[in-house]
Amino acid sequence: MNDLDEVRRIMAPADPCPPGAFDGAAHDPAGRAAYERITASEARRSGPSRRTTFRLVAAGGVAGALIAGAAVATGGSGEQPAPVAATETQRVLNVAATFALKQPFTAPRPGQWVYTETRYRRSGAPGRGQVVRPGSPLKTQVDRNWVRADGRRMALYDHGKLVTSATGGGMPPIDYATVAKLPIDPDGMLAWARAQETPNEPNGGAFQLLGSLLLNNGALPPAQTAAAYRAMAKIPGVTVDRAAKDGAGHKAISVSFLIEGWAKDEILLHPSTYAYQGHRTTVAKDHTMPDGGRFLTGAVESYSVRLAAGVVDRPGQRP
């Protein structure tokens, strides 16, 4: 029996997504036992010129690896490095990516339209002498827009009238024809995000751009969605809070980055399905704007909730 057959045999009983956990077989008793048996058998092997590397993935590639990102290797000396445990941020975003890849998806035809409906609540930027503090009123706006899949036209309501126009480009892209060509590997996606011009430093700019890509595209292909999540996991400073709540008080997983040292920018994921739910920006440290307006710690700058998204045949139509 070769090494790959042995891994498959030992991993067969492991539940890659056991009840109550979504982090893969590392949280399943059979999975842990399999890992210990595999690494123990490796340690007993000898052979000065032999070097073998395993990447232990649960059957079918579900929910990451046995130990996400860990490699088991032996060298000529018989010594092996300890497995590198994934961080909480990597575990959460890798699971979100895996869930995204498992969702059914049908690409829109070039003449179809992608509809996205989002509710925004914003404090607005405070002017001179104004202060935004916890509990300050927020203005609510619901955006409904249609973008043709080929990227040539978009439509929205203006004072109750449906108006169509050219898309006009913009970053991140919001048309299927463009986003379907984005990288599908995390390194490529992160390199793309960092290559775009943003008002923030590279890590913060990349995090916000990837979050905006998820927010503004109602038909982002699963491969690009997964790449965006896994690219975020590679950004230093990204953190996760599994006990967060969204603007309506519902449980959510928060994935966040501190922008410019004071604004906590978050994407919010469903606690069970890991589906994208929206974004939120809160004030983590008192901040004074260039014109003298102030944000106080704990204030909400803005948040959004994805209300609906889907593919339709004409502007004005809803899924």
Side-chain angles (χ1 to χ4, degrees):
M1 181 180 293
N2 62 32
D3 293 328
L4 184 57
D5 290 335
E6 178 70 359
V7 171
R8 287 171 175 161
R9 182 186 67 79
I10 295 177
M11 285 301 297
D15 182 355
C17 201
F22 295 91
D23 296 343
H27 291 268
D28 175 66
R32 287 196 299 271
Y35 173 76
E36 292 168 1
R37 289 165 61 191
I38 292 170
T39 53
S41 64
E42 276 295 293
R44 291 194 297 268
R45 292 179 183 177
S46 62
S49 64
R50 191 167 186 271
R51 181 175 180 85
T52 305
T53 301
F54 290 114
R55 199 163 284 277
L56 303 175
V57 181
V62 180
L66 176 63
I67 298 294
V72 181
T74 60
S77 64
E79 297 179 356
Q80 64 182 47
V84 179
T87 65
E88 178 74 349
T89 297
Q90 290 169 332
R91 284 194 291 268
V92 166
L93 288 169
N94 280 330
V95 172
T98 300
F99 271 63
L101 288 170
K102 292 173 69 64
Q103 298 308 305
F105 180 77
T106 301
R109 299 187 301 274
Q112 289 186 301
W113 297 69
V114 177
Y115 173 72
T116 307
E117 182 176 345
T118 308
R119 181 174 63 237
Y120 295 92
R121 301 197 70 197
R122 302 182 177 96
S123 66
R128 183 179 298 276
Q130 295 179 326
V131 178
V132 176
R133 53 175 52 89
S136 289
L138 303 174
K139 295 180 180 179
T140 301
Q141 175 181 332
V142 176
D143 284 357
R144 301 178 179 91
N145 64 71
W146 293 259
V147 179
R148 205 163 77 176
D150 61 11
R152 297 181 180 181
R153 303 290 290 177
M154 66 181 299
L156 50 80
Y157 279 100
D158 183 17
H159 296 92
K161 182 180 179 181
L162 186 65
V163 177
T164 63
S165 66
T167 54
M171 185 56 62
I174 59 172
D175 64 282
Y176 179 81
T178 301
V179 298
K181 295 177 182 178
L182 291 178
I184 60 174
D185 65 287
D187 289 325
M189 181 66 83
L190 183 56
W192 168 82
R194 284 177 167 162
Q196 311 308 315
E197 292 187 12
T198 68
N200 299 310
E201 52 83 25
N203 287 328
F207 180 85
Q208 287 191 307
L209 188 66
L210 292 169
S212 188
L213 180 71
L214 294 166
L215 171 65
N216 292 304
N217 282 279
L220 189 64
Q224 279 78 10
T225 302
Y229 285 134
R230 289 187 168 127
M232 283 182 175
K234 291 176 172 287
I235 299 175
V238 174
T239 59
V240 161
D241 179 7
R242 289 182 181 265
K245 293 185 177 180
D246 63 16
H250 302 137
K251 292 181 179 179
I253 298 173
S254 164
V255 181
S256 66
F257 188 94
L258 192 62
I259 305 295
E260 297 179 352
W262 69 273
K264 182 181 179 181
D265 203 57
E266 304 170 89
I267 66 166
L268 301 173
L269 307 178
H270 190 279
S272 298
T273 66
Y274 288 75
Y276 179 85
Q277 293 192 160
H279 104 285
R280 176 171 55 204
T281 302
T282 54
V283 180
K285 179 181 178 182
D286 289 359
H287 180 73
T288 301
M289 303 294 285
D291 63 359
R294 299 184 66 210
F295 282 104
L296 299 187
T297 303
V300 175
E301 189 274 333
S302 65
Y303 70 80
S304 65
V305 177
R306 169 78 58 77
L307 299 178
V311 177
V312 296
D313 292 325
R314 61 183 184 278
Q317 185 180 21
R318 299 185 188 181

